[in-house]
Amino acid sequence: TVIMAAEKAEMDALKKECDGLRAQIEAARKAVNDTTMTAAANGVAPLGRVQLKLRKSLKGHLAKIYAMHWSEDSRQMVSASQDGKLLVWDTFTGNKLVAVPLKSAWVMSVAFAPSANLVASGGLDNICTVYNIKAASPKTLRELDAHTGYLSCCRFLSDSEILTASGDTTCVLWDLETGKQKMVYTNHIGDCMSLALSPDMNMFISGACDSLAKLWDLREGTCKQTFSGHTSDINAISFFPSGNAIITGSDDCSCKMYDLRSDQEVTDYTDATLNAGVTSLALSNSGRLIFAGYDDFNCHIWDSLKGEKVGVLSGHDNRVSCTGVPADGMGVCTGSWDSFLKLPAMIQDCGADWVILGHSERRHVFGESDELIGQKVAHALENDLGVIACIGEKLEEREAGTTEEVVYAQTQVIAVGKILFALKLIIGKNDALIVLSFSHCIIMLELKRCCVTENVNDWEKVVLAYEPVWAIGTGKTASPEQVTTEKEERGFGCFVSKRFR
Amino acid sequence: MQERSGFAQCQFKHSCLKVEMSSKTLSSGSIAQARRTVQQLRREARIERIKVSKASSDLMRYCGEHAKNDPLLMGIPTSENPFKDKKPCTVL
């Protein structure tokens, strides 16, 4: 108890010092707060309406585009989509130059090296993979694997160094020659979502889910300044071209400008009509224009000095996920989730109400992954289409005894798409039709332990068809016993008896 | 946690647990964390700050000086626009 008392005393003293320091910082900021950027820019001539003309629409991705990055030559650009590919484009012609297939389709970030020899990407695999795109076919150069959370952002300093931001709340500087971490930047208490390098490359800024932006000394590894004000996750961050200010975009639907030398927020970019989170942002070459991508499918343009909205880039059919201005400032590129969602609408126009997804041929001949199928199921349901999702194992998997894992993996991926199912068994001509219903993925876990789901009010919109691949065209069929075994191993039996209709 | 239409965002965005400085657990781990926080705040407190009026005027001056080199602000003559689709020439 003596030790505990001493520890408590130290803790109290430390807490008191923290509170004192925080008050000191606030007072120091207030002392220099003699105006706001907007007030100071009162005499600056307004811009009038900024209208940009759409010059190119780059089509080629099959699923949501999550990230894009310009090459320093201002001509090439790389984009990443959850269709599992990186595409390098020639933006002058609209041609695709290189396609890089990804090991993991759950990509969240992509970067072009200044040399244009390398690109990097990463996402839910927690790994930053660096590819040499100048080789005859894209070659994996390094797999940077040390983060314990998803990779949200990556930026090359050169062909030998790259910075990453992660959901594990840290940023890391990597040595590409050794593949090892050179420096770990720890201070955020929420997932890091975005980072940007200073023009002089001595510092970088990060934005995180703790609603803070932080300025870091790249070489010393220390956090130099912390900027607060946002009330939700910061998704996007960028330096003002002079390097003296930073712009942030947040889920709280606002962008903010913080000046580094005043150590505080100097402008807030908010509009009462804008109720969508900011996903991405980029600045024009002089810093006067801020292009901010929002969840409302638009990219809004702000006058950075006067804090006014001066234009909008519309034309996407879904969330704008990424925005970028090339080094020469000649244009702006926006990427969106819409490249895939147009598809369900087309199906509905054909008069179909149900979509079959995950059919074995699409899995094994077209190579569609479990994740992609799960995503398609989620999107079909979002568009009010019923889904017949097919699951089933291959003969080698059955003979190897891995049926349970394969089927479960396929089912789990479908369930993770926030789908409402209801459990039901249909006995018809096909003896292997099982209808399953799940609610949110948390309930999915309970399903594994054989608890009955709650939400069976709505007529289930998904039919899970158990269709073993080994039974197709091989002369073998799934016997009712085999289907029953499947059921019982996973406790389906109890579901069936309770919910049989 | 905000509701999102895309499941991916919902899944991964809040995968990390926040580290809380609990005064209940008087383990040396908490004290180490508190010492680090104090060290960080000391670092942030000691920086020099300039007046917002000066910072603003510097930013405005930068915008003014670089406006002419900002194609998105000034516009680009069609002949110099690299993104414009080039139409083939027909010889009549």
Side-chain angles (χ1 to χ4, degrees), chain A residues 319-363:
Chain A
R319 171 184 298 179
V320 175
S321 53
C322 48
T323 309
V325 171
D328 67 359
M330 290 291 255
V332 56
C333 180
T334 55
S336 163
W337 282 11
D338 64 2
S339 64
F340 175 71
L341 284 172
K342 284 179 184 153
L343 193 56
M346 276 163 50
I347 295 168
Q348 274 174 311
D349 288 342
C350 302
D353 289 320
W354 291 81
V355 177
I356 297 178
L357 295 172
H359 192 272
S360 58
E361 260 116 65
R362 288 223 75 104
R363 290 183 193 271

Side-chain angles (χ1 to χ4, degrees), chain A residues 3 14 30 85 119 141 183 215 249 254 357 444 477 483:
Chain A
I3 296 167
L14 288 169
K30 207 156 175 232
K85 284 209 173 47
V119 294
L141 187 72
M183 190 77 77
L215 175 72
S254 76
L357 295 172
M444 171 63 191
T477 53
V483 174

Side-chain angles (χ1 to χ4, degrees), chain A residues 83-84 90 154 160 255 299 303 384 489:
Chain A
D83 63 6
D90 175 343
C154 50
S160 51
C255 294
C299 181
D303 176 337
D384 274 317
E489 272 170 11

Side-chain angles (χ1 to χ4, degrees), chain A residues 88-321:
Chain A
V88 179
W89 307 82
D90 175 343
T91 57
F92 289 7
T93 59
N95 293 337
K96 303 180 216 2
L97 300 173
V98 184
V100 183
L102 302 173
K103 253 189 191 172
S104 164
W106 295 132
V107 61
M108 293 172 66
S109 178
V110 74
F112 227 130
S115 66
N117 294 331
L118 311 173
V119 294
S121 71
L124 294 188
D125 57 354
N126 301 358
I127 300 172
C128 180
T129 309
V130 180
Y131 304 89
N132 177 352
I133 54 165
K134 285 296 199 278
S137 70
K139 195 165 134 35
T140 301
L141 187 72
R142 282 263 173 256
E143 282 183 342
L144 307 170
D145 188 1
H147 279 299
T148 55
Y150 57 86
L151 201 90
S152 53
C153 194
C154 50
R155 283 293 177 260
F156 285 92
L157 276 78
S158 64
D159 277 6
S160 51
E161 284 181 314
I162 190 168
L163 253 179
T164 56
S166 168
D168 67 11
T169 76
T170 69
C171 295
V172 172
L173 176 68
W174 303 81
D175 180 332
L176 286 175
E177 268 142 52
T178 61
K180 299 270 183 284
Q181 296 166 295
K182 253 183 167 168
M183 190 77 77
V184 182
Y185 307 90
T186 313
N187 204 248
H188 277 295
I189 57 171
D191 306 11
C192 289
M193 297 305 296
S194 181
L195 67 85
L197 274 162
S198 67
D200 67 7
M201 308 253 275
N202 291 328
M203 301 185 293
F204 75 93
I205 45 177
S206 60
C209 290
D210 55 12
S211 68
L212 302 172
K214 286 181 183 282
L215 175 72
W216 304 85
D217 185 311
L218 207 118
R219 300 299 164 193
E220 278 176 31
T222 52
C223 168
K224 292 170 66 162
Q225 286 170 255
T226 301
F227 301 95
S228 57
H230 278 298
T231 53
S232 187
D233 308 355
I234 294 176
N235 298 317
I237 200 164
S238 181
F239 266 96
F240 187 86
S242 68
N244 286 332
I246 68 174
I247 320 280
T248 53
S250 165
D251 270 350
D252 67 10
C253 311
S254 76
C255 294
K256 288 182 188 290
M257 182 194 284
Y258 297 91
D259 189 280
L260 299 184
R261 296 176 305 164
S262 301
D263 186 42
Q264 58 190 279
E265 178 184 327
V266 295
T267 320
D268 175 63
Y269 307 93
T270 309
D271 185 292
T273 61
L274 272 178
N275 286 320
V278 181
T279 61
S280 54
L281 63 87
L283 270 63
S284 71
N285 268 14
S286 66
R288 186 69 191 269
L289 300 175
I290 300 172
F291 296 92
Y294 287 75
D295 282 346
D296 72 350
F297 308 179
N298 293 318
C299 181
H300 294 275
I301 312 173
W302 293 89
D303 176 337
S304 66
L305 298 179
K306 296 181 85 73
E308 299 164 344
K309 242 178 15 135
V310 292
V312 64
L313 305 176
S314 46
H316 279 300
D317 292 329
N318 205 315
R319 171 184 298 179
V320 175
S321 53

Side-chain angles (χ1 to χ4, degrees), chain A residues 7 10 17 32 34-35 56 124 150 191 223 226 233 235 251 261-263 284 286 319 382 418, chain B residues 4-5 7 9 12-13 16 26 35 40 42 44 49-53 55 58 70 81-83 85:
Chain A
E7 281 184 344
E10 186 179 357
E17 191 175 356
V32 295
D34 56 347
T35 184
K56 289 269 187 313
L124 294 188
Y150 57 86
D191 306 11
C223 168
T226 301
D233 308 355
N235 298 317
D251 270 350
R261 296 176 305 164
S262 301
D263 186 42
S284 71
S286 66
R319 171 184 298 179
E382 277 167 31
K418 287 207 289 186
Chain B
R4 287 180 181 269
S5 55
F7 89 89
Q9 291 278 6
F12 56 60
K13 241 202 162 176
C16 209
L26 291 177
R35 286 194 196 125
Q40 178 59 34
R42 280 184 195 154
E44 292 183 19
R49 291 170 181 81
I50 67 168
K51 289 203 188 294
V52 173
S53 53
D58 285 352
D70 188 340
N81 189 339
F83 302 113
D85 279 330

